[in-house]
Amino acid sequence: MKYTFWLLICCFCVTANAQHNPEQKAGSKLWEVFLSSRVALTNRIPLHYLGTKPADSLKASAQDTLERVLVRDLTLSGMFNLRLPNLPPDTSIGGQMEERMTYLEGEFASDSDSCRVSMLLRSQLTDESFWKENYDFRPERSRAVAHRISADVIRMMTGEPSVTQTRIAFIGYAGGIKEVFSTTFDGFELFKHTHEENTILSPAWSPDGTKIAFTSFLRDQADLYVLSLDEGSVTPLISAPGVDQAPDWSQDNQRIAFSSSADGNSEIYVCRIDGTEIRRLTYSWAIETSPSWSPTGHELAFTSDRLGRPQVFIMDADGANQRRLTTEGEYNDSPAWSPKGDLIAYVRRCDDGFQIFVTDPKGENHVKLTSGPGDNLGPTWSPDGLRIAFTSNRIGTKQIYTMDVFGHNEERLTNLRMSCSNPTWSPVLNVETEKSITTEQ
Amino acid sequence: MKNKNLSRIILWAGIVLLIGLLIAGCAQKPEPVVEPPGPTPEELEQARQDSIQAAEEAMLAAQQAAAKKAAMEAEQALLAAEQAAKSSLQVIFFDFDRYNLRSDARTAADFDAGVLSKYGDWQVLIEGHCDERGTDEYNLALGERRANTVKDFFINYGLDAPRFTTVSYGEERPATMGHGEDAWSQNRRAVLVIR
C-alpha cells in the first residue's frame, strides 16, 4: 500500500517533469526568457527523501500526514528531482544518478500529547549534515509543520520563497451574501474572515500579510474597505460617489491603486494605504479599471475599453507613457503582474470561454494557459511566481483552482457547496501572522 | 275658684289654640299658580338663529365628509395611477459589453422619459446591471456606464438632472438566474427605481 503511494507520487513527479519541459512549448520565446531567470526550474536539484524514522505506532496518523504533506509540497514546488524511500534508483529522471545527491531525513519522537521531528539535510559528497532543525508540535498540527519544514528546505536549497506557508483568500457566495474566506495554499483550514452580510468583491491581500482590501456595497454603492486580519475590523478606505473598486497593493505596502468614477467615469487612481493622498492617473472617456502594480512599483497594468472593447494597457506609475499590452482578441481583462515582474497574466474571451493567458511586459509573446469548456477568470500569482490561482466554473459552480505557470499540474483548491471566486494569494506568512489571522475574534 | 276656672279656660284655650295651630300647620296650603313668563322676542330670534346654525353645520359637515371622501377617492385614484405609471416603466436592455442604447432600448427609454415628465416630483434611482460573463470589476464599471447612458438620455430629453442618481450592481443582482443567452439578455439592463 505504502509502495503504491510512493509509486503514484513518483509518476506524478515524472509527468510534472515532462510537462515542465520547455520543449513542449516549442516556438514560445516566453518560456525561454522566463526559465533563464529560474535556475531552480531548469536545473532541478536532486533530492532523496529518506522519510522520518522510526515509525511511531502511537502517532502513526500524525507521522503519516506529515510525510505525505511534505512530499507533496516538495513535489509541487517544481524545484527538485525528488527520489522517495522504498524505490529502486530510477535513472530515467534527468540522469540524476550521475549527480551529487542531497538527502533529507528526519527523526520522529512523541510523548502523550506532542511530537517532535528533527529534520536534516545531508550531502552525499561529504556525508555531513549542513542543516538541522527541530520541530515540536501537537499531532493535529502535523500539516502546518510539514508546510514549515518544506518552506525551510526550499529556502535552504534554492534561496527561493516558498508557497507552503501561504493562504489563498477568495469570495464565498451563499444565500445572496458574499464574504471573504481563506484556506491554506493546498485547500485546508477554511476560515471565514468577514461577517458583513453584504456583497464583497475583488479582495486583495496586502504584501505584509495583515490586511485584505476589498470592494463592497456596505453603504449602498460600491466603495473600498480594508479588513484588518488580526483584529477582524473593517474600515472604509475610499467612499467617493460612484463606483470605487478593484484595489491592488504596491509591493512596498505603501500605496493602493484602484478605480473610481468619482469624477464621472471609471478612472485609475492611487492613494496611500490609509486612503489619503489620492492621485488620479488616467483621463479618458472610457472605462479604466483593474489596476495591477509591477513589483517595482514603477508601472501599472490596467484594463481600458478606450478602443471600444476592453484591452490591457500599461502605464508608468505617474500615468504617463500609456501603451497597449494586448492586441489579439476583442476582450482582454484582469491583468495580474507576476511577483518577479517577468510575466503578466490576464483573461481573454475566446471561442471556448474566458481563458487565462500570460505574456511578457512588452506583450510580445502570449501563451494560453487554460481552455474550456467553462470560464477561467481572476488570475492571482503565488509569491514565488510559479503558480496561478484562478476561478473556474468548469464543474457548473464556481470554484478556485491553481496551476503552475506553464498551465499544468492543476489542482482544485476549493470543493465547497458555496460558489467561490476572486482568489487573492497571500504573501509568505510567518507562523505568528498566520496564527493571528486565523483566530476567531 | 273663679281663678281656678279662669286658668282652666286659659289652659283649654291654649290646648285648642295649639291643636288649631297644629291642624293649620298640617293642612297643605296650595301654592299659588304662577304662570311662567313667555319667551321674549330676543329669545325666539336666538333659537331661530341656533337652529339655522345647527342646520348649516350639519350641512357643512355632510359636505365636508363628502368632499373628504371624494378627495380620498381622488387621491387613491391618483395613487393608483401613479402606481400604474411606476409599473409601466420599462426595463432598458443592452447588448453584451455595450452601453449604447439600441433601437428597442431607445423606445423603452423614450417611453420612460414620457412617464417621468408627468411625475416631476419623482426621485429616480437608475440601476445598471450586467450578465454574469466577464470579470466582476469590468462589469461593475460597465453597469455604471449603462446607468449613466440612461441618465444622459433623460437629461437630453429635458428632465432635471438632480432628480437622478445612479448605482451599478455589475453582475451581482441578476434578474434571471441561468447560464445562457436567454438569461444573459434579461440581465444586461438598466432599471428605474422610484423613491
Side-chain angles (χ1 to χ4, degrees), chain A residues 290-320:
Chain A
S290 303
S292 172
W293 290 94
S294 74
T296 60
H298 295 153
E299 290 167 304
L300 287 155
F302 62 99
T303 303
S304 172
D305 73 344
R306 62 185 66 173
L307 301 173
R309 296 284 189 184
Q311 294 291 346
V312 178
F313 286 71
I314 293 181
M315 63 181 163
D316 297 348
D318 60 359

mmCIF file of all heavy atoms in Angstrom, chain A residues 290-320:
data_model
loop_
_atom_site.group_PDB
_atom_site.id
_atom_site.type_symbol
_atom_site.label_atom_id
_atom_site.label_comp_id
_atom_site.label_asym_id
_atom_site.label_seq_id
_atom_site.Cartn_x
_atom_site.Cartn_y
_atom_site.Cartn_z
ATOM 1 N N SER A 290 -9.336 47.722 -12.853
ATOM 2 C CA SER A 290 -8.468 46.565 -12.585
ATOM 3 C C SER A 290 -6.970 46.866 -12.667
ATOM 4 O O SER A 290 -6.229 46.185 -13.380
ATOM 5 C CB SER A 290 -8.805 45.420 -13.557
ATOM 6 O OG SER A 290 -10.152 45.075 -13.447
ATOM 7 N N PRO A 291 -6.483 47.873 -11.928
ATOM 8 C CA PRO A 291 -5.043 48.136 -11.955
ATOM 9 C C PRO A 291 -4.249 47.039 -11.250
ATOM 10 O O PRO A 291 -4.740 46.425 -10.309
ATOM 11 C CB PRO A 291 -4.916 49.458 -11.194
ATOM 12 C CG PRO A 291 -6.077 49.469 -10.266
ATOM 13 C CD PRO A 291 -7.195 48.774 -10.997
ATOM 14 N N SER A 292 -3.019 46.790 -11.737
ATOM 15 C CA SER A 292 -2.122 45.818 -11.102
ATOM 16 C C SER A 292 -0.703 46.375 -11.137
ATOM 17 O O SER A 292 -0.169 46.680 -12.200
ATOM 18 C CB SER A 292 -2.189 44.478 -11.853
ATOM 19 O OG SER A 292 -1.202 43.595 -11.362
ATOM 20 N N TRP A 293 -0.108 46.516 -9.958
ATOM 21 C CA TRP A 293 1.244 47.088 -9.859
ATOM 22 C C TRP A 293 2.278 46.134 -10.422
ATOM 23 O O TRP A 293 2.202 44.919 -10.217
ATOM 24 C CB TRP A 293 1.617 47.325 -8.394
ATOM 25 C CG TRP A 293 0.887 48.415 -7.694
ATOM 26 C CD1 TRP A 293 -0.247 48.278 -6.943
ATOM 27 C CD2 TRP A 293 1.243 49.801 -7.647
ATOM 28 N NE1 TRP A 293 -0.609 49.504 -6.435
ATOM 29 C CE2 TRP A 293 0.287 50.456 -6.853
ATOM 30 C CE3 TRP A 293 2.283 50.549 -8.198
ATOM 31 C CZ2 TRP A 293 0.331 51.823 -6.589
ATOM 32 C CZ3 TRP A 293 2.321 51.911 -7.937
ATOM 33 C CH2 TRP A 293 1.357 52.536 -7.152
ATOM 34 N N SER A 294 3.308 46.685 -11.046
ATOM 35 C CA SER A 294 4.515 45.893 -11.294
ATOM 36 C C SER A 294 5.222 45.774 -9.948
ATOM 37 O O SER A 294 5.037 46.627 -9.081
ATOM 38 C CB SER A 294 5.413 46.587 -12.313
ATOM 39 O OG SER A 294 6.062 47.708 -11.728
ATOM 40 N N PRO A 295 6.045 44.715 -9.746
ATOM 41 C CA PRO A 295 6.670 44.535 -8.425
ATOM 42 C C PRO A 295 7.582 45.694 -8.037
ATOM 43 O O PRO A 295 7.765 45.959 -6.853
ATOM 44 C CB PRO A 295 7.449 43.227 -8.574
ATOM 45 C CG PRO A 295 7.494 42.945 -10.029
ATOM 46 C CD PRO A 295 6.316 43.602 -10.650
ATOM 47 N N THR A 296 8.129 46.404 -9.010
ATOM 48 C CA THR A 296 8.988 47.541 -8.675
ATOM 49 C C THR A 296 8.178 48.750 -8.260
ATOM 50 O O THR A 296 8.712 49.690 -7.663
ATOM 51 C CB THR A 296 9.839 47.958 -9.893
ATOM 52 O OG1 THR A 296 8.941 48.331 -10.949
ATOM 53 C CG2 THR A 296 10.737 46.831 -10.349
ATOM 54 N N GLY A 297 6.887 48.774 -8.591
ATOM 55 C CA GLY A 297 6.064 49.932 -8.285
ATOM 56 C C GLY A 297 6.238 51.058 -9.297
ATOM 57 O O GLY A 297 5.667 52.124 -9.130
ATOM 58 N N HIS A 298 6.994 50.808 -10.368
ATOM 59 C CA HIS A 298 7.223 51.852 -11.365
ATOM 60 C C HIS A 298 6.149 51.887 -12.439
ATOM 61 O O HIS A 298 6.013 52.867 -13.160
ATOM 62 C CB HIS A 298 8.594 51.658 -12.032
ATOM 63 C CG HIS A 298 9.735 51.826 -11.078
ATOM 64 N ND1 HIS A 298 10.948 51.208 -11.237
ATOM 65 C CD2 HIS A 298 9.825 52.537 -9.931
ATOM 66 C CE1 HIS A 298 11.753 51.538 -10.239
ATOM 67 N NE2 HIS A 298 11.083 52.334 -9.424
ATOM 68 N N GLU A 299 5.407 50.776 -12.577
ATOM 69 C CA GLU A 299 4.401 50.698 -13.636
ATOM 70 C C GLU A 299 3.124 50.061 -13.118
ATOM 71 O O GLU A 299 3.120 49.388 -12.084
ATOM 72 C CB GLU A 299 4.946 49.869 -14.808
ATOM 73 C CG GLU A 299 6.056 50.553 -15.577
ATOM 74 C CD GLU A 299 6.762 49.590 -16.506
ATOM 75 O OE1 GLU A 299 7.252 48.555 -16.030
ATOM 76 O OE2 GLU A 299 6.783 49.857 -17.711
ATOM 77 N N LEU A 300 2.061 50.264 -13.882
ATOM 78 C CA LEU A 300 0.774 49.634 -13.574
ATOM 79 C C LEU A 300 0.178 49.072 -14.858
ATOM 80 O O LEU A 300 0.196 49.744 -15.897
ATOM 81 C CB LEU A 300 -0.202 50.666 -13.006
ATOM 82 C CG LEU A 300 0.024 51.160 -11.579
ATOM 83 C CD1 LEU A 300 -0.584 52.536 -11.404
ATOM 84 C CD2 LEU A 300 -0.580 50.185 -10.580
ATOM 85 N N ALA A 301 -0.320 47.836 -14.778
ATOM 86 C CA ALA A 301 -1.137 47.303 -15.869
ATOM 87 C C ALA A 301 -2.592 47.575 -15.506
ATOM 88 O O ALA A 301 -2.934 47.645 -14.325
ATOM 89 C CB ALA A 301 -0.899 45.809 -16.033
ATOM 90 N N PHE A 302 -3.459 47.789 -16.502
ATOM 91 C CA PHE A 302 -4.871 48.038 -16.205
ATOM 92 C C PHE A 302 -5.716 47.711 -17.428
ATOM 93 O O PHE A 302 -5.189 47.492 -18.522
ATOM 94 C CB PHE A 302 -5.094 49.500 -15.766
ATOM 95 C CG PHE A 302 -4.736 50.529 -16.816
ATOM 96 C CD1 PHE A 302 -5.721 51.111 -17.602
ATOM 97 C CD2 PHE A 302 -3.423 50.903 -17.019
ATOM 98 C CE1 PHE A 302 -5.397 52.059 -18.564
ATOM 99 C CE2 PHE A 302 -3.079 51.846 -17.980
ATOM 100 C CZ PHE A 302 -4.063 52.424 -18.755
ATOM 101 N N THR A 303 -7.026 47.663 -17.227
ATOM 102 C CA THR A 303 -7.962 47.406 -18.314
ATOM 103 C C THR A 303 -8.563 48.725 -18.774
ATOM 104 O O THR A 303 -8.921 49.564 -17.954
ATOM 105 C CB THR A 303 -9.106 46.496 -17.823
ATOM 106 O OG1 THR A 303 -8.550 45.296 -17.303
ATOM 107 C CG2 THR A 303 -10.062 46.170 -18.956
ATOM 108 N N SER A 304 -8.674 48.896 -20.085
ATOM 109 C CA SER A 304 -9.354 50.070 -20.626
ATOM 110 C C SER A 304 -10.134 49.677 -21.874
ATOM 111 O O SER A 304 -9.666 48.858 -22.667
ATOM 112 C CB SER A 304 -8.342 51.155 -20.992
ATOM 113 O OG SER A 304 -9.001 52.206 -21.689
ATOM 114 N N ASP A 305 -11.322 50.239 -22.028
ATOM 115 C CA ASP A 305 -12.059 49.976 -23.269
ATOM 116 C C ASP A 305 -12.058 51.213 -24.174
ATOM 117 O O ASP A 305 -12.979 51.434 -24.950
ATOM 118 C CB ASP A 305 -13.481 49.467 -22.995
ATOM 119 C CG ASP A 305 -14.414 50.556 -22.483
ATOM 120 O OD1 ASP A 305 -13.920 51.615 -22.044
ATOM 121 O OD2 ASP A 305 -15.643 50.347 -22.533
ATOM 122 N N ARG A 306 -10.989 51.992 -24.090
ATOM 123 C CA ARG A 306 -10.890 53.228 -24.880
ATOM 124 C C ARG A 306 -10.889 52.953 -26.377
ATOM 125 O O ARG A 306 -11.126 53.866 -27.172
ATOM 126 C CB ARG A 306 -9.639 54.003 -24.481
ATOM 127 C CG ARG A 306 -8.345 53.259 -24.731
ATOM 128 C CD ARG A 306 -7.145 54.029 -24.200
ATOM 129 N NE ARG A 306 -7.150 54.138 -22.736
ATOM 130 C CZ ARG A 306 -6.148 54.646 -22.029
ATOM 131 N NH1 ARG A 306 -5.078 55.111 -22.655
ATOM 132 N NH2 ARG A 306 -6.207 54.711 -20.728
ATOM 133 N N LEU A 307 -10.586 51.717 -26.763
ATOM 134 C CA LEU A 307 -10.619 51.389 -28.190
ATOM 135 C C LEU A 307 -11.929 50.706 -28.573
ATOM 136 O O LEU A 307 -12.053 50.144 -29.647
ATOM 137 C CB LEU A 307 -9.436 50.489 -28.543
ATOM 138 C CG LEU A 307 -8.061 51.090 -28.236
ATOM 139 C CD1 LEU A 307 -6.957 50.084 -28.456
ATOM 140 C CD2 LEU A 307 -7.829 52.337 -29.095
ATOM 141 N N GLY A 308 -12.887 50.712 -27.665
ATOM 142 C CA GLY A 308 -14.194 50.135 -27.975
ATOM 143 C C GLY A 308 -14.457 48.827 -27.252
ATOM 144 O O GLY A 308 -15.601 48.506 -26.961
ATOM 145 N N ARG A 309 -13.409 48.072 -26.996
ATOM 146 C CA ARG A 309 -13.526 46.822 -26.252
ATOM 147 C C ARG A 309 -12.442 46.802 -25.185
ATOM 148 O O ARG A 309 -11.402 47.435 -25.363
ATOM 149 C CB ARG A 309 -13.339 45.613 -27.186
ATOM 150 C CG ARG A 309 -14.402 45.470 -28.255
ATOM 151 C CD ARG A 309 -15.678 44.918 -27.662
ATOM 152 N NE ARG A 309 -16.636 44.570 -28.705
ATOM 153 C CZ ARG A 309 -17.862 44.127 -28.475
ATOM 154 N NH1 ARG A 309 -18.266 43.989 -27.227
ATOM 155 N NH2 ARG A 309 -18.675 43.835 -29.449
ATOM 156 N N PRO A 310 -12.665 46.062 -24.093
ATOM 157 C CA PRO A 310 -11.630 46.044 -23.051
ATOM 158 C C PRO A 310 -10.317 45.427 -23.538
ATOM 159 O O PRO A 310 -10.314 44.366 -24.155
ATOM 160 C CB PRO A 310 -12.261 45.207 -21.936
ATOM 161 C CG PRO A 310 -13.393 44.479 -22.560
ATOM 162 C CD PRO A 310 -13.851 45.298 -23.711
ATOM 163 N N GLN A 311 -9.228 46.131 -23.270
ATOM 164 C CA GLN A 311 -7.886 45.649 -23.583
ATOM 165 C C GLN A 311 -6.989 45.992 -22.395
ATOM 166 O O GLN A 311 -7.287 46.905 -21.632
ATOM 167 C CB GLN A 311 -7.341 46.320 -24.850
ATOM 168 C CG GLN A 311 -8.093 45.972 -26.133
ATOM 169 C CD GLN A 311 -7.906 44.526 -26.579
ATOM 170 O OE1 GLN A 311 -7.015 43.821 -26.095
ATOM 171 N NE2 GLN A 311 -8.762 44.076 -27.483
ATOM 172 N N VAL A 312 -5.881 45.245 -22.283
ATOM 173 C CA VAL A 312 -4.950 45.506 -21.188
ATOM 174 C C VAL A 312 -3.905 46.528 -21.646
ATOM 175 O O VAL A 312 -3.359 46.406 -22.754
ATOM 176 C CB VAL A 312 -4.261 44.206 -20.722
ATOM 177 C CG1 VAL A 312 -3.261 44.509 -19.602
ATOM 178 C CG2 VAL A 312 -5.305 43.209 -20.240
ATOM 179 N N PHE A 313 -3.681 47.537 -20.828
ATOM 180 C CA PHE A 313 -2.699 48.583 -21.099
ATOM 181 C C PHE A 313 -1.683 48.608 -19.967
ATOM 182 O O PHE A 313 -1.907 48.046 -18.895
ATOM 183 C CB PHE A 313 -3.379 49.959 -21.183
ATOM 184 C CG PHE A 313 -4.173 50.174 -22.438
ATOM 185 C CD1 PHE A 313 -5.366 49.496 -22.654
ATOM 186 C CD2 PHE A 313 -3.732 51.065 -23.415
ATOM 187 C CE1 PHE A 313 -6.105 49.695 -23.816
ATOM 188 C CE2 PHE A 313 -4.465 51.269 -24.583
ATOM 189 C CZ PHE A 313 -5.650 50.581 -24.779
ATOM 190 N N ILE A 314 -0.576 49.275 -20.218
ATOM 191 C CA ILE A 314 0.434 49.521 -19.181
ATOM 192 C C ILE A 314 0.728 51.016 -19.171
ATOM 193 O O ILE A 314 0.689 51.660 -20.229
ATOM 194 C CB ILE A 314 1.733 48.729 -19.463
ATOM 195 C CG1 ILE A 314 1.455 47.227 -19.316
ATOM 196 C CG2 ILE A 314 2.854 49.129 -18.507
ATOM 197 C CD1 ILE A 314 2.667 46.360 -19.545
ATOM 198 N N MET A 315 0.963 51.551 -17.979
ATOM 199 C CA MET A 315 1.410 52.948 -17.902
ATOM 200 C C MET A 315 2.449 53.068 -16.793
ATOM 201 O O MET A 315 2.583 52.185 -15.948
ATOM 202 C CB MET A 315 0.217 53.870 -17.608
ATOM 203 C CG MET A 315 -0.447 53.625 -16.274
ATOM 204 S SD MET A 315 -1.848 54.741 -16.048
ATOM 205 C CE MET A 315 -2.727 53.917 -14.715
ATOM 206 N N ASP A 316 3.179 54.175 -16.819
ATOM 207 C CA ASP A 316 4.090 54.459 -15.720
ATOM 208 C C ASP A 316 3.268 54.806 -14.478
ATOM 209 O O ASP A 316 2.095 55.158 -14.581
ATOM 210 C CB ASP A 316 5.026 55.623 -16.078
ATOM 211 C CG ASP A 316 5.911 55.268 -17.269
ATOM 212 O OD1 ASP A 316 5.943 54.075 -17.635
ATOM 213 O OD2 ASP A 316 6.552 56.179 -17.831
ATOM 214 N N ALA A 317 3.906 54.742 -13.332
ATOM 215 C CA ALA A 317 3.172 54.927 -12.073
ATOM 216 C C ALA A 317 2.633 56.344 -11.906
ATOM 217 O O ALA A 317 1.810 56.593 -11.026
ATOM 218 C CB ALA A 317 4.066 54.574 -10.885
ATOM 219 N N ASP A 318 3.093 57.289 -12.761
ATOM 220 C CA ASP A 318 2.532 58.641 -12.694
ATOM 221 C C ASP A 318 1.468 58.861 -13.770
ATOM 222 O O ASP A 318 1.006 59.990 -13.968
ATOM 223 C CB ASP A 318 3.645 59.684 -12.828
ATOM 224 C CG ASP A 318 4.390 59.552 -14.153
ATOM 225 O OD1 ASP A 318 4.044 58.649 -14.944
ATOM 226 O OD2 ASP A 318 5.312 60.349 -14.402
ATOM 227 N N GLY A 319 1.106 57.789 -14.490
ATOM 228 C CA GLY A 319 0.063 57.896 -15.506
ATOM 229 C C GLY A 319 0.602 58.164 -16.904
ATOM 230 O O GLY A 319 -0.153 58.134 -17.876
ATOM 231 N N ALA A 320 1.904 58.415 -17.019
ATOM 232 C CA ALA A 320 2.495 58.718 -18.325
ATOM 233 C C ALA A 320 2.739 57.433 -19.120
ATOM 234 O O ALA A 320 2.680 56.326 -18.571
ATOM 235 C CB ALA A 320 3.811 59.467 -18.126
#
